[in-house]
């Protein structure tokens, strides 16, 4: 090989590093030099020598990337197009041309196992680019293909994410979607489900081919913890997957989760990519899209989808032409109503109305006047079929009725979009809604929406109560015809009278014949007239005798069948929800409670009992006296009835506790210690103690019952109880470290792993509760040791023995971190972590040989301990000194010594600048200085907290630069009370509930 050629290769690589150079010319020039050579070996060796300089650099430098692109283009230039007609003539030339390509592949495959991660990365990158630059009908040797496949399968398990990314991209053209045993597909699925790096998952998503095997895996990535992965998953589904390949549940889930995603970019992808792609496949027919979503079972998701479609419309005409086809009356003909077009009509009207004055003109084109729509609504609802028990067994008829009810519900919801400002239209609508509610065939499922719209139209609350009470009375006691039996003597008298008339007629006819024979025609005419009168009388008497003997009268009849009671109770519940809670219980409401609700509580029908409990709980919110009267009843029902009814009673109970506090059972006003801890009237300790003793019994029974429900085998009851306790604690009605410990243990318990609602509720509560105030963090701190002791002492047979205690400790550390507060204090005294450190040290000294001492020492290393001189710091140092003398474990000793050195070192370094610190403490800006420096450390803690949220699974998560993080909405800011007032309030509250929970613990 000549020196000129050597220089040419080096010069080509040198020029290729510059972005402004034309690589096509460089490739052509180098290719010409290559073709002139007879012996290609030296060229290959020199080319590889130059390439090695680029392959040892890991960072994505522009010069290196330009060289890689140049090498790819040069190697791809040796590919010859496949042409069957000239195959024999060019066979020898193709072998020569493919020689360089095969040589380069062989070199790369030999280097893929290099120790340097940079070399492995560049090898996979080159293989990826080389395979990607080949034409669609390119052919390579089978053995070479197998070698590439085997090498890339090894590299997708590489330690470095960038290597795995390039290896996954390189295998894109080697996968066989039709083969269920394809190793590439299996490797892709493994990476999608298990790789910790989001960029690797994104790379796999971008190149995996959708098939029956991979579709479910791609679908699952729409729930990935990383926003970019979810976004790409929706893009892949929009571009590569037909809507028919997805089940109805998957379509609904994609739209529901995508349009409600926490990330705006994901929502935008669903709007701009997924929905337009589906509409293109359906020729732009929105109604067909709704039909494929099964709107009867997912109306909320369908409405959200329609809102997204409407927001992308460029003109009002486009919106009007897509779905709702209205006639000249601005109505859809009754015979043409379907679930899809009526939902489209309703969603469009609501969307336009939400635009305010901008959409007023368009809304007039979509809806008629209120009076016309009222008649239209009545004409449809009165035709809804009422099925008997036998007909309900026929699924076809049942589905037809369910469709009719859904259409009716959408038409009722359209009432809210009407303009009812005109008096005549409003009165007509009120009258029609009243008539519909009284109709016997009105389904129970439509009663709630009808009452809601009727109350919304009525303006005066007194009128609302009166109208609904009258409707309930008409439904409960309708006017019905009542048959009264006729007296037997009266009946016999009529029969005798009829017989007499018949005898008179016979006698008159005989006399008439005699008069005719005697030619007494004047007498005959009189007899004939009398016979006519007697015949009329006989017919009248015969008609009376043929009619039913009962006397029909109309009067009010009270109905007590379950369907009627359910309708009345539903109207009552909706009425109580809409009436202002400050109004109190009026005589009309009291009459409804006494005559309808309370008797229905003991009704044998479960549905009636459940609705009666809902009504009673809602009514009790209007009056504390009513709640005090019936709270014992609710407590009994929570323990004795069916699960669904027990849950309704539990919700009513929690609502009462949230509204009125734990002193709801008292006849006298609440003591200041439980409701107004800052009140100065709380001076007589003896009287307060007596009041507390009186209230402990009902309070203890309520809390004990709720605590027992946390162990219930009924999943729904357990979840509802946990949610209720979380609400009570978050609102400050309960301050109890023991209950908080129970909730944390319930969250980590493997038994609740499938209860997504419980896990989500408690996960949000713990973070929001701890971030809300310093007092809440102190409650979390007090619950730390009870929680850890429960886990350490759990028997092997208990599910709690499987919980990762290190993860639980990490969670408590993050929840009590001072920098995690929504409003951190500008000047902190003893922090919560300082108190927690003292508690942990004392726990270690209780038994220094216990196995949990290592975890406690590890917990100490996570704490943000205040290193400023003070009593707390001195006490902590004494405790650490005692621990060092007692503990023999090397790891524990090392951690404690490090902590002591940290405290001592900070003292020595800060003693010199003590005067400056004192001066700075007087400056108001010192709080801002601390707040600017601490959040950096807090962010690390927030990542750990989100990891700890996943229980034992978090301990198995691999350490990665890309850690999963949950976005927690910040609590609304509020004005903090004075420090002294807050401490007084906290002490008084703790005095109440700590004593109570201690008694509960002793009793159990």
């Amino acid at each position: 090989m000549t020196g000129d050629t050597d220089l040419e290769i080096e010069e080509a690589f040198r020029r290729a590093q510059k972005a402004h150079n034309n690589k096509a010319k460089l490739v052509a020039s180098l290719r010409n030099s290559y073709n002139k050579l007879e012996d290609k070996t030296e060229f290959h060796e020199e080319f590889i020598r130059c390439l090695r300089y680029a392959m040892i650099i890991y960072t994505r430098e522009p010069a290196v990337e330009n060289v890689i692109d140049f090498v790819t283009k040069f190697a791809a230039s040796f590919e010859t197009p496949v042409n069957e007609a000239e195959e024999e003539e060019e066979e020898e030339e193709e072998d020569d041309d493919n020689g360089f390509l095969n040589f380069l592949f062989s070199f790369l495959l030999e280097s893929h196992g290099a120790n340097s991660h940079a070399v492995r990365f560049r090898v996979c990158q080159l293989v990826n680019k080389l395979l990607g630059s080949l034409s669609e009908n390119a052919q390579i040797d089978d053995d070479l293909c197998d070698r590439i496949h085997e090498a890339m399968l090894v590299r997708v398990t590489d330690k470095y994410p960038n290597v795995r990314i390039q290896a996954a991209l390189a295998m894109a053209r080697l996968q066989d979607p039709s083969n269920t045993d394809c190793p590439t597909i299996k490797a892709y699925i493994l990476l999608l489900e298990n790789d910790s790096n989001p960029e690797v998952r994104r790379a796999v998503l971008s190149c995996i081919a959708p098939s029956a095997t991979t579709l479910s895996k791609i679908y699952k990535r729409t729930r990935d913890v990383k926003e970019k992965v979810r976004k790409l998953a929706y893009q892949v589904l929009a571009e590569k997957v037909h809507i028919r390949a997805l089940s109805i549940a998957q379509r609904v889930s994609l739209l529901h989760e995508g349009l409600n995603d926490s990330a705006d970019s994901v929502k935008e992808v669903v709007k701009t990519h997924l929905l337009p792609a589906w509409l293109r496949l359906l020729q732009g027919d929105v109604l067909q899209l709704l039909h494929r979503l099964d709107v009867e079972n997912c109306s909320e998701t369908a409405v959200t989808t329609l809102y997204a479609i409407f927001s992308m419309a460029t003109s009002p005409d486009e919106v009007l032409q897509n779905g709702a086809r209205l006639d000249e009356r601005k109505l859809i003909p009754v015979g043409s109503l379907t679930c899809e077009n009526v939902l489209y009509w309703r969603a469009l009207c609501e969307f336009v109305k939400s635009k305010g004055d901008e959409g007023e003109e368009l809304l007039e084109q979509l809806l008629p006047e209120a009076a016309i729509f009222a008649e239209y609504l009545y004409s449809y609802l009165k035709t809804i079929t009422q099925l008997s028990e036998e007909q309900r067994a026929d699924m076809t008829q049942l589905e037809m009725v369910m469709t009719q009810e859904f259409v009716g519900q959408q038409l009722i919801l359209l009432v809210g979009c009407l303009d009812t400002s005109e008096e005549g239209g409003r009165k007509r609508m009120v009258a029609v809604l009243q008539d519909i509610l009284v109709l016997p065939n009105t389904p129970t499922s439509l009663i709630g929406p009808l009452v809601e719209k009727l109350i919304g139209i009525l303006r005066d609350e007194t009128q609302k109560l009166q109208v609904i009470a009258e409707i309930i009375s008409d439904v409960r006691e309708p006017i019905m015809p009542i048959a009264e039996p006729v007296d037997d003597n009266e009946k016999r008298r009529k029969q005798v009278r009829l017989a007499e008339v018949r005898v008179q007629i016979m006698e008159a006819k005989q006399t008439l014949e005699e008069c005719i024979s005697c030619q007494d025609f004047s007498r005959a005419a009189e007899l004939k007239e009398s016979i006519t009168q007697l015949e009329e009388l006989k017919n009248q008497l015969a008609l009376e005798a043929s009619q039913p003997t009962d006397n029909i009268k109309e009067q009010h009849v009270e109905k007590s069948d379950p369907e009627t009671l359910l309708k009345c109770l539903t109207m009552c519940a909706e009425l109580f929800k809409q009436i202002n809670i400050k109004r109190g219980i009026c005589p009309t409401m009291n009459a409804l409670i006494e005559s309808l609700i309370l008797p229905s509580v003991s009704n044998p029908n479960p549905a009636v009992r459940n609705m009666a409990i809902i009504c009673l709980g809602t009514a009790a919110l209007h009056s504390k006296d009513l709640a005090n009267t019936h709270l014992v009843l609710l407590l009994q029902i929570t323990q004795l009835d069916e699960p669904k009814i027990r849950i309704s009673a539990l919700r009513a109970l929690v609502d009462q506790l949230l509204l009125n506090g734990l002193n709801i059972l008292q006849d006298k006003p609440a003591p200041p210690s439980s409701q107004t801890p800052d009140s100065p009237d709380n001076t007589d300790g003896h009287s307060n103690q007596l009041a507390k003793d009186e209230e402990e019994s009902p309070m203890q029974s309520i809390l004990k019952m709720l605590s027992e429900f946390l162990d219930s085998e009924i999943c729904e009851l357990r979840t509802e109880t946990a949610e209720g306790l979380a609400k009570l604690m978050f609102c400050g009605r309960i301050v109890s470290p023991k209950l908080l410990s129970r909730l944390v243990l319930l969250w980590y318990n493997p038994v609740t792993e499938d209860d997504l609602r419980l896990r989500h509720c408690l996960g949000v509560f713990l973070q929001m509760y701890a971030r809300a105030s310093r007092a809440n963090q102190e409650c979390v701190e007090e619950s730390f040791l009870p929680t850890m002791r429960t886990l350490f002492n759990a028997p092997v047979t208990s599910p709690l023995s499987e919980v990762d205690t290190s993860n639980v400790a990490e969670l408590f550390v993050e929840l009590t971190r001072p920098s995690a507060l929504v409003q951190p204090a500008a000047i902190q005294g003893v922090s919560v972590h300082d108190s927690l450190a003292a508690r942990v040290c004392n726990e270690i000294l209780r038994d220094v040989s216990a196995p949990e001492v290592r975890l406690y020492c590890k917990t100490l290393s996570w704490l943000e301990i205040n290193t400023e001189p003070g009593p707390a710091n001195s006490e902590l140092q004494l405790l650490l000194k005692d621990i060092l003398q007692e503990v023999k474990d090397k790891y524990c000793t090392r951690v404690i010594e490090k902590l002591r050195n940290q405290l001592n070192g900070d003292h020595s370094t800060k003693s010199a600048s003590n005067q400056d610190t004192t001066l700075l403490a007087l400056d108001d800006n010192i709080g801002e200085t601390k707040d600017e420096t601490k959040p950096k450390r807090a962010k690390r803690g927030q990542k750990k907290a989100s990891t700890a949220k996943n229980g034992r699974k978090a301990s198995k998560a691999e350490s990665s630069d890309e850690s999963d993080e949950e976005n927690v909405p910040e609590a609304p800011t509020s004005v903090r009370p004075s420090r002294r007032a807050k401490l007084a309030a906290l002490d008084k509250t703790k005095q109440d509930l700590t004593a109570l929970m201690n008694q509960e613990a002793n009793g159990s």
Side-chain angles (χ1 to χ4, degrees):
M1 188 172 182
T2 63
D4 295 339
T5 306
D6 295 344
L7 292 174
E8 189 173 349
I9 295 177
E10 290 183 8
E11 184 65 21
F13 271 87
R14 188 175 294 107
R15 293 181 182 180
Q17 299 178 42
K18 309 297 182 181
H20 61 270
N21 282 320
N22 191 332
K23 293 185 178 58
K25 290 183 178 180
L26 291 176
V27 168
S29 175
L30 195 59
R31 179 65 189 274
N32 291 332
S33 301
Y34 180 83
N35 292 335
K36 294 176 182 178
L37 297 174
E38 295 182 0
D39 184 8
K40 316 292 186 182
T41 305
E42 293 184 10
F43 183 93
H44 292 169
E45 293 176 355
E46 183 64 18
F47 190 89
I48 294 302
R49 184 186 69 81
C50 296
L51 177 60
R52 282 196 175 101
Y53 290 105
M55 293 180 63
I56 60 175
I57 300 175
Y58 182 69
T59 56
R60 305 296 289 266
E61 298 291 341
V64 179
E65 297 301 319
N66 289 333
V67 169
I68 297 296
D69 290 339
F70 165 71
V71 172
T72 302
K73 291 181 180 180
F74 179 72
S77 67
F78 287 89
E79 179 196 358
T80 55
V82 177
N83 192 336
E84 296 180 359
E86 303 176 359
E87 185 175 357
E88 295 180 358
E89 300 177 3
E90 300 182 358
E91 183 177 356
E92 183 177 353
E93 183 181 352
E94 286 179 5
D95 292 338
D96 293 339
D97 290 344
N98 288 336
F100 179 80
L101 200 57
N102 293 338
F103 169 77
L104 183 58
F105 270 123
S106 299
F107 165 74
L108 294 175
L109 296 178
E110 291 171 359
S111 306
H112 86 89
N115 292 333
S116 171
H117 61 278
V119 175
R120 298 198 302 272
F121 167 67
R122 294 300 177 183
V123 166
C124 294
Q125 183 186 26
L126 278 168
V127 172
N128 171 34
K129 288 182 174 291
L130 286 172
L131 292 177
S133 62
L134 299 178
S135 61
E136 293 184 2
N137 57 353
Q139 295 181 355
I140 59 176
D141 187 66
D142 291 340
D143 294 337
L144 178 61
C145 181
D146 293 339
R147 290 174 59 200
I148 295 174
H149 204 174
E150 292 173 3
M152 294 301 103
L153 286 174
V154 174
R155 291 279 66 81
V156 291
T157 61
D158 197 276
K159 177 182 178 181
Y160 287 83
N162 282 335
V163 180
R164 299 198 299 272
I165 290 173
Q166 295 299 326
L169 295 174
M171 291 196 299
R173 298 188 68 175
L174 304 178
Q175 59 183 321
D176 184 7
S178 60
N179 183 10
T180 56
D181 297 327
C182 176
T184 301
I185 297 294
K186 291 183 178 180
Y188 279 167
I189 293 175
L190 187 67
L191 290 173
L192 278 179
E193 294 182 339
N194 300 310
D195 200 290
S196 61
N197 191 285
E199 295 301 323
V200 177
R201 300 196 295 272
R202 289 185 73 240
V204 175
L205 273 177
S206 65
C207 57
I208 190 172
S211 65
T213 305
T214 61
L215 180 58
S216 61
K217 312 302 178 183
I218 299 173
Y219 167 75
K220 286 182 180 179
R221 286 307 100 203
T222 59
R223 301 173 180 175
D224 197 278
V225 295
K226 288 298 180 181
E227 170 188 342
K228 293 182 179 180
V229 181
R230 298 197 302 273
K231 178 180 176 182
L232 183 60
Y234 279 107
Q235 290 177 338
V236 170
L237 289 172
E239 296 169 1
K240 299 181 180 180
V241 180
H242 198 285
I243 186 174
R244 293 181 180 177
L246 299 167
S247 65
I248 293 178
Q250 288 175 332
R251 299 169 196 162
V252 173
S253 176
L254 286 173
L255 292 175
H256 174 73
E257 295 172 4
L259 293 173
N260 294 284
D261 197 278
S262 58
D264 293 335
S265 61
V266 178
K267 296 179 185 177
E268 193 65 23
V269 165
V270 177
K271 286 183 181 180
T272 58
H273 288 73
L274 187 65
L275 280 175
W278 285 0
L279 286 174
R280 281 194 301 271
L281 295 171
L282 300 172
Q283 288 76 43
D285 193 343
V286 181
L287 296 184
Q288 277 295 320
L289 176 61
L290 294 177
H291 180 69
R292 296 182 186 278
L293 295 180
D294 189 17
V295 294
E296 292 183 58
N297 297 317
C298 62
S299 58
E300 294 182 3
T301 302
V303 170
T304 307
T305 303
L306 289 172
Y307 285 172
I309 295 174
F310 297 153
S311 64
M312 294 186 294
T314 55
S315 64
D317 294 337
E318 181 181 348
V319 173
L320 291 173
Q321 294 173 1
N322 277 341
R325 296 174 176 84
L326 307 178
D327 57 14
E328 65 278 358
R329 299 180 301 163
K330 303 176 187 176
L331 297 170
I332 299 177
V334 174
S336 302
L337 283 172
T338 63
C339 296
E340 290 78 19
N341 61 15
V342 72
L343 182 71
Y344 184 94
W345 189 20
R346 170 214 151 189
L348 179 57
C349 292
E350 290 178 348
F351 179 80
V352 173
K353 187 174 183 180
S354 66
K355 297 297 182 182
D357 297 337
E358 299 178 7
E360 186 175 352
E361 182 179 352
L362 181 58
L363 191 62
E364 292 179 357
Q365 305 177 31
L366 295 172
L367 285 174
E369 297 178 356
I372 298 175
F373 189 83
E375 299 298 334
Y376 174 75
L377 178 64
Y378 183 80
S379 65
Y380 181 82
L381 293 182
K382 71 178 182 181
T383 61
I384 294 180
T385 309
Q386 192 172 12
L387 297 180
S388 62
E389 292 297 331
E390 297 179 356
Q391 291 174 328
R392 289 182 181 276
D394 187 357
M395 291 302 298
T396 304
Q397 294 189 18
L398 186 61
E399 288 178 1
M400 179 190 68
V401 173
M402 291 174 65
T403 301
Q404 291 177 344
E405 292 181 10
F406 179 82
V407 174
Q409 182 183 23
Q410 302 307 310
L411 292 177
I412 293 170
L413 294 175
L414 268 172
V415 174
C417 299
L418 294 171
D419 181 12
T420 55
S421 58
E422 193 267 323
E423 185 68 20
R426 184 172 67 253
K427 287 184 176 179
R428 183 57 189 156
M429 179 59 72
V430 170
V432 167
L433 291 177
Q434 288 177 283
D435 293 342
I436 294 172
L437 285 169
V438 176
L439 284 176
N441 66 328
T442 301
T444 307
S445 60
L446 301 183
I447 297 296
L450 284 168
V451 175
E452 181 185 353
K453 297 305 176 186
L454 177 58
I455 293 177
I457 295 175
L458 299 174
R459 297 175 180 176
D460 182 48
E461 289 204 346
T462 304
Q463 186 184 10
K464 295 176 183 179
L465 284 167
Q466 182 180 356
V467 170
I468 300 301
E470 290 176 357
I471 295 174
I472 292 175
S473 177
D474 292 342
V475 174
R476 183 84 187 279
E477 299 178 357
I479 299 177
M480 299 181 65
I482 301 298
E484 296 182 357
V486 181
D487 187 27
D488 291 340
N489 294 331
E490 181 69 18
K491 183 178 180 181
R492 191 176 297 108
R493 188 184 63 78
K494 289 182 179 181
Q495 291 176 352
V496 171
R497 176 60 179 159
L498 179 59
E500 290 177 356
V501 172
R502 287 176 178 172
V503 171
Q504 290 177 3
I505 291 174
M506 292 176 63
E507 292 177 351
K509 287 182 177 180
Q510 289 179 358
T511 307
L512 178 61
E513 291 178 357
E514 292 175 358
C515 290
I516 292 175
S517 61
C518 296
Q519 296 184 355
D520 188 358
F521 295 109
S522 59
R523 174 67 175 161
E526 294 176 0
L527 289 172
K528 189 174 181 180
E529 184 177 352
S530 64
I531 289 172
T532 304
Q533 293 176 355
L534 290 172
E535 286 286 349
E536 292 178 356
L537 181 59
K538 184 192 75 169
N539 291 337
Q540 183 179 354
L541 292 173
L543 181 62
E544 292 178 359
S546 63
Q547 288 180 349
T549 57
D550 296 339
N551 187 18
I552 306 298
K553 292 184 178 180
E554 291 184 348
Q555 66 181 27
H556 291 280
V557 177
E558 183 176 346
K559 298 173 67 175
S560 59
D561 60 286
E563 187 175 358
T564 301
L565 291 176
L566 200 56
K567 286 183 179 181
C568 296
L569 289 170
T570 304
M571 285 188 273
C572 197
E574 196 63 39
L575 173 66
F576 289 165
K577 289 178 185 176
Q578 301 293 333
I579 296 298
N580 191 344
I581 196 173
K582 297 180 181 179
R583 180 185 177 88
I585 297 292
C586 64
T588 304
M589 296 172 68
N590 195 37
L592 290 173
I593 294 170
E594 296 294 334
S595 63
L596 176 63
I597 297 175
L598 291 179
S600 300
V601 171
S602 58
N603 192 281
N605 188 281
V608 174
R609 288 203 309 277
N610 185 51
M611 187 56 66
I613 294 300
I614 294 175
C615 290
L616 183 61
T618 309
L621 296 175
H622 293 259
S623 169
K624 189 174 181 179
D625 294 335
L626 182 66
N628 194 17
T629 303
H630 298 293
L631 193 65
V632 177
L633 175 63
L634 292 175
L635 289 171
Q636 293 175 348
I637 294 173
T638 56
Q639 303 176 70
L640 301 176
D641 217 316
E642 296 184 3
K644 184 178 180 181
I645 302 174
R646 292 175 65 185
I647 291 172
S648 298
L650 180 61
R651 288 173 180 167
L653 174 64
V654 172
D655 289 342
Q656 286 301 322
L657 297 179
L658 285 171
L659 183 64
N660 299 312
L662 294 178
N663 56 356
I664 183 63
L665 289 176
Q666 290 181 326
D667 294 330
K668 52 189 176 182
S673 60
S674 60
Q675 282 294 323
T676 57
D678 296 335
S679 175
D681 299 335
N682 189 14
T683 57
D684 190 355
H686 179 67
S687 60
N688 277 342
Q689 185 63 34
L690 292 176
K692 191 161 59 174
D693 293 340
E694 292 177 1
E695 66 174 312
E696 275 182 355
S697 179
M699 287 172 59
Q700 184 176 6
S701 61
I702 293 175
L703 292 178
K704 184 177 180 181
M705 181 195 68
L706 294 176
S707 181
E708 290 174 353
F709 285 168
L710 292 178
D711 298 325
S712 174
E713 296 180 356
I714 304 172
C715 177
E716 294 80 6
L717 182 63
R718 182 180 62 211
T719 302
E720 199 67 40
T721 304
E723 185 175 344
L725 288 173
K727 291 177 181 177
L728 290 169
M729 295 190 71
F730 189 75
C731 294
R733 292 298 186 184
I734 295 178
V735 179
S736 171
K738 182 177 179 181
L739 279 179
L740 183 60
S741 174
R742 291 289 306 276
L743 293 179
V744 173
L745 292 173
L746 185 65
W747 189 42
Y748 274 100
N749 198 324
V751 174
T752 64
E753 186 174 3
D754 296 331
D755 193 345
L756 299 180
R757 181 186 167 197
L758 174 66
R759 288 290 179 99
H760 177 72
C761 171
L762 292 180
V764 174
F765 160 71
L766 289 174
Q767 297 184 57
M768 300 299 294
Y769 178 75
R771 286 160 52 93
S773 68
R774 164 72 183 264
N776 291 351
Q777 283 194 337
E778 292 177 356
C779 182
V780 175
E781 172 218 333
E782 292 181 25
S783 66
F784 172 70
L785 289 180
T787 305
M788 301 307 295
R789 289 169 186 163
T790 304
L791 293 174
F792 290 136
N793 298 329
V796 181
T797 55
S798 172
L800 292 177
S801 63
E802 303 176 11
V803 177
D804 182 7
T805 53
S806 175
N807 192 264
V808 179
E810 188 178 359
L811 172 69
F812 274 95
V813 171
E814 298 305 325
L815 292 179
T816 55
R817 197 175 293 280
S819 54
L821 288 172
V822 176
Q823 289 184 334
I827 301 178
Q828 281 281 5
V830 179
S831 70
V832 179
H833 273 194
D834 294 342
S835 303
L836 183 58
R839 287 178 183 270
V840 173
C841 289
N842 285 318
E843 185 68 16
I844 293 174
L845 290 172
R846 283 182 59 187
D847 185 3
V848 294
S849 60
E852 57 265 23
V853 169
R854 289 177 64 92
L855 177 59
Y856 285 142
C857 291
K858 188 177 181 181
T859 304
L860 287 174
S861 66
W862 294 334
L863 298 176
E864 290 182 6
I865 300 175
N866 188 4
T867 57
E868 297 290 337
N873 199 305
S874 301
E875 180 185 355
L876 182 58
Q877 290 198 46
L878 291 176
L879 291 172
L880 293 175
K881 182 179 179 181
D882 294 340
I883 293 173
L884 279 176
Q885 294 175 356
E886 299 289 337
V887 174
K888 305 301 180 183
D889 185 81
K890 293 183 178 179
Y891 172 78
C892 298
T893 304
R894 189 166 60 250
V895 172
I896 299 301
E897 287 179 348
K898 183 178 180 181
L899 186 57
R900 285 194 67 192
N901 293 334
Q902 178 185 348
L903 295 176
N904 294 330
D906 289 342
H907 288 169
S908 61
T909 55
K910 292 187 178 180
S911 59
S913 58
N914 192 19
Q915 184 178 0
D916 296 337
T917 306
T918 305
L919 293 174
L920 283 173
L922 299 176
D923 189 0
D924 294 337
N925 296 329
I926 189 169
E928 299 176 5
T929 306
K930 289 184 178 180
D931 290 342
E932 290 174 0
T933 56
K934 284 188 177 180
K936 293 184 179 178
R937 189 170 183 181
K939 258 188 177 175
R940 185 179 70 241
Q942 288 171 3
K943 291 185 180 180
K944 289 183 179 178
S946 63
T947 308
K949 180 178 180 296
N950 297 322
R952 290 186 71 249
K953 295 180 181 178
S955 63
K956 300 178 182 179
E958 53 280 349
S959 59
S960 171
D961 294 335
E962 299 283 338
S963 63
D964 298 342
E965 184 174 358
E966 181 179 358
N967 295 324
V968 181
E970 293 190 357
T973 58
S974 58
V975 180
R976 290 172 60 90
S978 66
R979 181 70 179 164
R980 182 175 300 172
K982 189 138 194 173
L983 287 175
L986 178 63
D987 292 339
K988 292 175 182 178
T989 310
K990 283 182 180 177
Q991 286 173 4
D992 290 341
L993 287 176
T994 302
L996 173 63
M997 298 311 296
N998 289 337
Q999 284 191 11
E1000 178 187 342
N1002 296 332
S1004 59

